[in-house]
Amino acid sequence: MGYIKGTITKGVGGFYYVACGDIIYECRARGIFRKDGITPLVGDEVDITVDDAVNLRGTVDNIHPRKNVLLRPPVANVSQVAVIIAAASPAPNFLTVDKLIAAAELAGIEILICVNKTDVADSKAASIAEIYEKAGFPVVSVSAETRDNIDALTSHLVGKITVFAGNSGVGKSSILNLILGGDVMRVGAVSEKISRGRHTTRHSELLRLPTNPRPAGTPFREGGSGGFVIDTPGFSAFELDTVKCEDVAELFREFEKYGGMCKFTGCAHVKDKGCAIVEAVGRGEIAQSRHESYVAIYENAKKVKDWERL
Ligand code: GDP
Ligand code: ZN
């Protein structure tokens, strides 16, 4: 019997749960992986053989080459980070947001900006959206409270593996619950999140976007693989600590068109004379907050000695 292709959604106690279209098979990994020191990861695209079509059991035979691997959460082939920003309560922390974006750029992962809580601060939401649209990111503004524009957000998740990121309280759990149509995440579970701490060992799971009912006009693929979201909003910016200061500018995509236009080669784009980036900020072409985040990340990277890098 031939292979069928699927995606590992969960790994528990030596079993891997592989989504093949609408069906999830409980699989063991072939022994050869252990011998080769390869551990299948959530997010892996795999070929399986079905050993028991009635009880939906199978064996993972091949792991396709990974596009990327995140360490926190430990997931392969993440295609997108959805950075959630609350328009208000809590007030946006632009440095946190821009660090998350820079870390995603570093990892080569697509970025989607989602401004939440438009119901409480619509004009603030609009000005946040403008900052990130101007910088060249796709932006959706939603309200998890009123469900406004949630369909537009869902349409950005089709066919992708998306991890949610953002400060506590911005509405990640609320949005995930709406998208997945159930109480998957505990809303407002701040104290629990803090007590679990940063180095949580909780395993991540890919949750399939429901294909039925599908949002109007959303081009879900046949076979039910409408896309996945990762249940742990754990994407963090810690990998930014490996970046050298001279490489930070590359992580700000709106700086690119000013490349080579600074007066001095090796310009740090901080407050230098004849700096094309600083001038663009002055003309309002680059958002002040984005430049401030750049400077903070740059200065931090400058302080880190080479031998201290990971
Ligand atoms: P998380 O920490 O990012 O997962 O955020 P939660 O989903 O737990 O939400 C934090 C708080 O904000 C909860 O009290 C939610 O009910 C509330 N909240 C989430 N989304 C919205 C929204 O769009 N509008 C309003 N007014 N409140 C929201
Ligand atoms: Zn410059």
Side-chain angles (χ1 to χ4, degrees):
M1 200 175 128
Y3 292 140
I4 56 175
K5 208 180 133 188
T7 306
I8 298 183
T9 61
K10 184 166 72 164
V12 177
F15 286 105
Y16 297 95
Y17 295 83
V18 180
C20 306
D22 283 336
I23 301 173
I24 294 197
Y25 291 93
E26 183 184 77
C27 298
R28 290 277 189 195
R30 202 156 56 96
I32 184 88
F33 295 132
R34 216 167 311 130
K35 202 173 120 258
D36 293 347
I38 299 168
T39 311
L41 275 178
V42 168
D44 267 331
E45 288 189 12
V46 295
D47 297 320
I48 68 165
T49 28
V50 177
D51 303 318
D52 180 343
V54 176
N55 296 305
L56 306 179
R57 299 221 169 95
T59 308
V60 177
D61 288 297
N62 294 309
I63 301 173
H64 294 217
R66 291 168 181 156
K67 294 183 197 84
N68 57 45
V69 178
L70 291 189
L71 296 176
R72 292 182 211 167
V75 178
N77 302 319
V78 172
S79 25
Q80 176 168 263
V81 177
V83 179
I84 314 296
I85 312 170
S89 43
N93 182 330
F94 290 112
L95 180 56
T96 306
V97 168
D98 294 330
K99 278 182 168 174
L100 288 168
I101 291 173
E105 297 280 22
L106 184 67
I109 298 169
E110 284 177 53
I111 295 145
L112 173 67
I113 303 295
C114 175
V115 185
N116 187 30
K117 310 201 187 186
T118 53
D119 58 305
V120 288
D122 200 29
S123 66
K124 278 192 194 129
S127 60
I128 298 165
E130 198 194 317
I131 291 173
Y132 290 96
E133 274 161 6
K134 192 158 74 178
F137 297 100
V139 180
V140 259
S141 301
V142 303
S143 165
E145 181 74 21
T146 66
R147 298 176 172 244
D148 190 43
N149 229 19
I150 293 293
D151 284 358
L153 173 60
T154 310
S155 68
H156 281 274
L157 310 178
V158 174
K160 294 178 178 161
I161 297 180
T162 302
V163 62
F164 280 61
N167 273 342
S168 191
V170 295
K172 298 180 295 297
S173 313
S174 307
I175 292 171
L176 278 168
N177 285 339
L178 280 183
I179 286 171
L180 295 164
D183 270 349
V184 186
M185 301 284 297
R186 276 188 58 199
V187 171
V190 174
S191 56
E192 187 200 24
K193 278 173 207 163
I194 289 168
S195 65
R196 263 203 263 123
R198 286 186 66 78
H199 301 285
T200 167
T201 51
R202 197 182 145 200
H203 293 292
S204 301
E205 181 175 351
L206 299 190
L207 301 172
R208 244 174 338 165
L209 293 174
T211 51
N212 191 20
R214 68 180 71 171
T218 306
F220 278 125
R221 275 194 263 136
E222 289 303 312
S225 83
F228 297 94
V229 295
I230 299 172
D231 71 335
T232 39
F235 183 78
S236 69
F238 81 98
E239 282 172 81
L240 263 192
D241 295 345
T242 63
V243 177
K244 295 189 173 153
C245 62
E246 61 266 32
D247 296 331
V248 175
E250 281 169 26
L251 306 177
F252 284 73
R253 57 175 69 175
E254 70 271 46
F255 291 9
E256 195 185 330
K257 74 175 201 204
Y258 304 96
M261 288 166 65
C262 300
K263 191 166 176 199
F264 301 105
T265 48
C267 177
H269 320 308
V270 171
K271 51 177 185 229
D272 313 51
K273 281 229 155 21
C275 172
I277 304 281
V278 171
E279 284 166 7
V281 175
R283 290 193 301 270
E285 291 164 26
I286 292 174
Q288 184 108 39
S289 65
R290 290 277 293 164
H291 184 249
E292 282 166 12
S293 296
Y294 163 78
V295 172
I297 298 169
Y298 175 90
E299 297 292 357
N300 186 60
K302 209 166 118 179
K303 271 189 267 162
V304 179
K305 304 272 182 295
D306 274 339
W307 54 264
E308 285 175 331
R309 287 178 216 285
L310 297 175

